[in-house]
């Protein structure tokens, strides 16, 4: 994966979730469609943060399962996770690197906007 294209809806969902979760981190899953080396992110669905702390996130497994089922019904794929940084740039933290889901594209929404990462490489993120 080298590039992610965000729908207006997904972008709004990410920014809103970050705002609403302050000062904690919000997290969830990216739903979309892959084509070749790119993916279009149609939705950024929020999943309850089981960790609940300001410094890290952990997706609630039941919420994750519900999103997987909903994605299938809409013919969308679960592309990877996203989470917010309440007061840090959208760069993976040491904890993110230790616990992340690195083989999948990740989005982080932080103080400098929305950025994408996979295996510690930054992905190109564009809008529709
Ligand atoms: Zn993080």
């Amino acid at each position: 994966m080298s590039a992610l294209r965000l729908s207006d809806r997904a972008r709004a969902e990410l920014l809103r979730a970050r705002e609403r979760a302050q000062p904690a981190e919000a997290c969830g899953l990216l739903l979309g469609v892959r084509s070749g080396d790119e993916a279009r992110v149609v939705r950024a669905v929020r999943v309850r943060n089981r960790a609940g702390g300001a410094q890290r996130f952990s997706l609630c497994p039941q919420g994750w399962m519900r999103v997987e089922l909903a994605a299938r019904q809409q013919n969308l794929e679960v592309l990877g996770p996203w989470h917010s940084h309440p007061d840090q740039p959208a760069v993976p933290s040491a904890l993110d690197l230790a616990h992340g889901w690195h083989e999948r594209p990740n989005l982080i929404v932080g103080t400098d906007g929305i950025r994408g990462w996979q295996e510690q490489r930054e992905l190109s993120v564009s809008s529709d």
Side-chain angles (χ1 to χ4, degrees), residues 25 55-57 83-86 89 91-97 108:
E25 293 190 7
Q55 292 308 313
R56 57 165 305 187
F57 72 96
H83 72 286
S84 68
H85 283 175
V91 175
S93 66
L95 262 173
D96 291 338
L97 294 174
I108 303 178

Side-chain angles (χ1 to χ4, degrees), residues 31 65-78:
L31 307 191
M65 195 60 72
R66 273 195 296 274
V67 175
E68 290 272 4
L69 291 171
R72 227 165 288 165
Q73 285 165 358
Q74 298 170 68
N75 286 319
L76 297 174
E77 189 181 338
V78 175

